[in-house]
């Protein structure tokens, strides 16, 4: 026994050393091959089944590895990685990924104050499932507009009765108002995640005769999701910024106006995933800059500083792993120190890793100066889709309203809509409203003074055709009503 014991220890030590070496090699290879395109992803961010059955096969194909029967691999000519190295990466994730993800711990949701009265639209159609793709409040007069999967633009009157403004070639997903009756309308072209450059950008005049209601700004855009007007070269002509989310192809573009009705598309950064942008003079030099969120692969927020020569200087501000599923951001001064901070949401769950993720939610990054941002607050929300900061309760500080399309519908359905009441500097109380939960599955939201009484109302858009990521769950909400209005009762 005395002779065998040291031998056993030596064997165990050799196994441990070999395993550690292979793990370190797998980590280094993952960082080399995956980290060259985006932030390296820790095995702990997804469960073992998701890694092995969905994410790794998809990544293998992108690297030129053959995939057979979903989870088996074979060598192919032209791969950008050796088959041995790929198998090492697969083993690394299989070994270290957890069997399941643990839910994030957070302050419990509390029933919210009687801040809103819920107004439902005059809608009696129970034959069609709601497929709202956009809701918007006109800041000039408070009128509500919406669009849906069928490709219509509707205006809702003071009684919340719909009136069709015009038929569209594809669903509208964004509108930017230039006056009470003039707006920039972005139509995505195709809701499906395919590379079909069929998106359009129109300037619409809602009160003009039918034949004069539309001016075409851009055609054949790669699944555009947002557009903004700005004079980037300060020549007195309005240019347009377009977030072309695309699929494998897309980018952030400027449609530069050269004459009265001619626009040239110029890429600012031609990579897919541009989902949300803000135009402002961020560096204070008098020229409009761009801050943009990219939500595909190399996820993060970038600043594009106007170089005053027709181009932009690119600077990364924040970066996120590709499994985060970035959805929106907003720039606003939350801690009242005079520097604009960033509110960011992650929660897209319609890709390869369709599982509830503890890192989904709403984040606050405080501005530390010189375009440096530091995470100061996070609240986990499964499938968080959008956040809007405003002083909803009129107490002098900014609150945050959030929606979650991929919420935990089974166990925490109330997180579909949460209002974070700021009770002190950077202190938030998460409030939910059970009566709102049953009225829809919210994919879009806007805020504004709809009734012109001085406080901020909220409009929620219902999209009930989306797929579920939770097994054995069927919608427990109203699937027909396209939107609801949360009318603020503060004033």
């Amino acid at each position: 026994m005395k002779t065998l014991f040291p031998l056993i220890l030596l064997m165990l030590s050799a196994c441990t050393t070999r395993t550690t070496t292979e793990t370190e090699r797998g980590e280094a290879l993952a960082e080399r091959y995956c980290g060259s395109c985006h932030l390296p992803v820790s095995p702990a961010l997804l469960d073992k089944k998701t890694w092995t059955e969905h994410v790794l096969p998809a990544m293998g194909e992108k690297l030129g590895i053959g995939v057979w029967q979903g989870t088996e691999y074979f060598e192919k000519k032209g791969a950008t990685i050796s088959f041995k190295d790929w198998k090492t990466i697969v083993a690394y994730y299989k070994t270290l990924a957890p069997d399941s993800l643990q839910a994030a711990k957070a302050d419990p949701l509390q029933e919210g104050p009687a801040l809103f009265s819920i107004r439902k639209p005059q809608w009696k159609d129970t034959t069609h499932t709601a497929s709202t793709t956009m809701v918007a409040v006109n800041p000039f007069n408070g009128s509500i507009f919406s669009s849906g999967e069928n490709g219509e633009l509707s205006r809702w009157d003071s009684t919340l009765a719909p009136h069709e403004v015009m038929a569209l070639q594809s669903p509208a997903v964004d509108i930017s108002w230039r006056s009470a009756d003039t707006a920039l309308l972005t139509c995505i072209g195709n809701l499906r995640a395919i590379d079909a450059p069929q998106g359009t950008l129109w300037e619409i005049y809602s009160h003009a005769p039918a034949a004069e209601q539309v001016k075409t700004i851009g055609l054949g855009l790669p699944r555009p999701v947002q557009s903004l007007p700005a004079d980037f070269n300060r020549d007195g002509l309005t240019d347009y910024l377009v977030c072309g989310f695309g699929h494998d192809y897309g980018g952030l573009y400027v449609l530069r106006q050269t004459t009265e009705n001619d626009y040239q598309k110029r890429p600012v950064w031609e990579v897919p995933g541009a989902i949300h942008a803000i135009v402002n003079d961020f560096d204070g030099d008098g020229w409009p800059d761009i801050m943009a969120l990219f939500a595909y692969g190399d996820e993060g927020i970038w600043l594009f500083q106007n170089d005053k020569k027709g181009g932009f200087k690119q600077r990364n501000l924040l970066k996120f792993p590709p499994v985060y599923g970035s959805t929106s951001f907003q720039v606003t001064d939350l801690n009242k120190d005079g520097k604009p901070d960033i509110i960011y949401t992650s929660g897209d769950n319609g890709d390869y890793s369709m599982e509830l993720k503890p890192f989904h939610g709403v984040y606050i990054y405080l501005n530390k100066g010189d375009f440096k941002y530091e995470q100061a607050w996070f609240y986990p929300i499964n499938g968080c889709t959008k956040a809007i900061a405003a002083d909803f309760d009129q107490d002098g500080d900014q609150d945050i309203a959030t929606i979650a399309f991929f919420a935990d519908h089974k166990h925490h359905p109330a997180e579909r809509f949460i209002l974070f009441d700021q009770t002190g500097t950077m202190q938030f109380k998460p409030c939910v409203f059970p009566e709102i939960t049953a009225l829809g599955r919210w994919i879009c939201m806007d805020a504004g003074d709809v009734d012109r009484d001085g406080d901020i109302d909220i409009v929620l858009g219902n999209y009930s055709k989306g797929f579920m990521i939770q097994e054995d769950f069927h919608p427990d909400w109203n699937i027909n009503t396209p939107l609801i209005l949360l009318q603020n009762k503060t004033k």
Side-chain angles (χ1 to χ4, degrees):
M1 191 69 179
K2 289 182 180 180
T3 305
L4 288 175
F5 189 67
L7 180 60
I8 292 171
L9 285 178
L10 183 62
M11 292 170 63
L12 289 173
S13 175
C15 291
T16 302
T17 302
R18 185 163 57 251
T19 302
T20 301
T21 302
E22 284 299 295
T23 298
E24 290 174 346
R25 186 164 176 270
E27 182 179 12
L29 287 169
E31 185 165 346
R32 175 184 171 187
Y33 286 100
C34 306
S36 63
C37 296
H38 51 69
L39 277 182
V41 184
S42 166
L45 290 183
L46 300 173
D47 67 41
K48 199 181 301 290
K49 181 178 179 181
T50 301
W51 275 119
T52 57
E53 295 184 9
H54 301 289
V55 177
L56 288 171
M59 295 303 101
E61 288 184 332
K62 288 182 181 294
L63 293 171
I65 298 295
V67 181
W68 177 63
Q69 291 189 341
T71 58
E72 299 297 324
Y73 303 101
F74 60 91
E75 290 187 78
K76 286 176 65 178
K77 289 184 178 180
T80 57
I81 184 173
S82 73
F83 193 66
K84 179 182 177 182
D85 284 351
W86 173 249
K87 296 292 282 186
T88 301
I89 290 175
V90 171
Y92 165 65
Y93 282 99
K94 276 186 176 180
T95 301
L96 296 184
D99 291 331
S100 62
L101 298 182
Q102 299 299 311
K105 295 182 179 179
D107 294 336
L109 298 172
Q110 305 176 44
E111 188 162 338
L115 187 60
F116 303 105
S117 60
I118 301 172
R119 292 189 57 196
K120 305 174 188 177
Q122 296 186 38
W123 192 263
K124 298 180 181 179
D125 185 356
T126 59
T127 61
H128 294 90
T129 302
S131 60
T132 307
T133 57
M134 180 198 77
V135 290
V137 178
N138 185 329
F140 294 95
N141 57 25
S143 57
I144 298 172
F145 282 72
S146 73
S147 186
E149 192 176 61
N150 294 330
E152 77 289 342
L153 180 66
S154 298
R155 179 182 61 83
W156 301 77
D157 64 26
S158 58
T159 67
L160 287 190
H163 303 271
E164 184 173 299
V165 177
M166 64 181 68
L168 305 172
Q169 295 174 338
S170 69
V173 291
D174 180 67
I175 193 167
S176 175
W177 295 95
R178 303 190 67 184
S179 69
D181 59 1
T182 304
L184 190 64
L185 191 68
T186 305
C187 298
I188 194 169
N190 201 314
L191 289 174
R192 295 174 57 213
I194 59 175
D195 285 310
Q198 300 169 347
T200 56
L201 177 58
W202 288 344
E203 191 164 77
I204 62 169
Y205 314 99
S206 58
H207 289 83
E212 302 173 7
Q213 279 190 326
V214 174
K215 174 185 175 183
T216 301
I217 304 296
L219 295 171
L221 301 172
R223 298 182 70 230
V225 291
Q226 185 194 17
S227 303
L228 295 167
D231 183 5
F232 288 106
N233 57 356
R234 301 205 313 187
D235 64 352
L237 299 174
T238 301
D239 311 310
Y240 297 92
L241 178 72
V242 178
C243 292
F245 190 87
H247 179 52
D248 289 328
Y249 305 96
L252 187 68
Y253 303 94
V254 169
L255 303 184
R256 179 156 296 165
Q257 187 172 180
T258 56
T259 60
E260 182 64 27
N261 292 302
D262 183 63
Y263 300 88
Q264 294 181 353
K265 186 175 76 172
R266 298 187 180 184
V268 178
W269 195 25
E270 201 159 23
V271 298
I275 194 171
H276 192 188
I278 297 169
V279 174
N280 199 358
D281 180 12
F282 290 103
D283 54 15
D285 66 354
W287 291 71
D289 309 305
I290 304 165
M291 196 178 289
L293 171 64
F294 286 77
Y296 184 87
D298 195 14
E299 298 192 17
I301 297 175
W302 277 263
L303 175 66
F304 300 89
Q305 291 174 272
N306 198 320
D307 66 5
K308 309 175 190 177
K309 301 174 183 178
F312 297 89
K313 295 179 291 185
Q314 182 175 326
R315 179 174 186 168
N316 179 243
L317 303 181
L318 296 169
K319 218 165 191 183
F320 314 109
V323 296
Y324 264 42
S326 302
T327 47
S328 76
F329 81 108
Q330 183 179 349
V331 175
T332 185
D333 184 6
L334 279 163
N335 60 353
K336 300 181 181 180
D337 66 351
K339 298 191 290 288
D341 310 304
I342 291 176
I343 304 173
Y344 159 80
T345 61
S346 67
D348 185 1
N349 233 335
D351 213 325
Y352 304 118
S353 57
M354 293 185 289
E355 62 175 322
L356 299 177
K357 300 179 176 74
F359 46 82
H360 276 178
V362 56
Y363 295 74
I364 293 176
Y365 293 89
L366 292 182
N367 190 333
K368 311 307 287 186
D370 192 29
F371 298 111
K372 300 291 192 304
Y373 295 86
E374 184 178 287
Q375 182 180 325
W377 185 80
F378 165 67
Y379 191 91
I381 305 172
N382 292 293
C384 192
T385 306
K386 187 173 184 178
I388 295 178
D391 186 5
F392 292 104
D393 56 9
Q394 301 283 293
D395 66 351
D397 53 30
Q398 294 194 76
D399 314 301
I400 303 173
T402 64
I403 54 172
F405 185 70
F406 288 106
D408 182 354
H409 298 298
K410 264 188 177 182
H411 308 105
H412 302 288
E415 67 182 359
R416 292 171 200 157
F417 174 79
I418 302 175
L419 180 69
F420 292 91
D421 177 18
Q422 187 167 182
T423 56
T425 302
M426 294 298 295
Q427 296 178 348
F428 298 89
K429 181 174 72 174
C431 301
V432 294
F433 305 82
E435 62 273 26
I436 298 174
T437 302
L439 297 179
R441 185 185 187 188
W442 317 121
I443 197 171
C444 48
M445 168 176 62
D446 198 17
D449 189 1
V450 174
D451 52 9
R452 319 309 286 168
D453 66 348
D455 54 25
I456 305 299
D457 311 302
I458 297 174
V459 184
L460 303 178
N462 182 15
Y463 190 95
S464 288
K465 290 187 175 182
F467 50 83
M468 305 296 172
I469 66 169
Q470 294 174 287
E471 295 180 356
D472 303 321
F473 177 81
H474 300 283
D476 60 357
W477 56 80
N478 183 306
I479 65 170
N480 305 119
T481 304
L483 58 80
I484 64 170
L485 169 64
L486 308 184
Q487 191 165 339
N488 199 321
K489 300 189 297 183
T490 304
K491 288 191 175 181

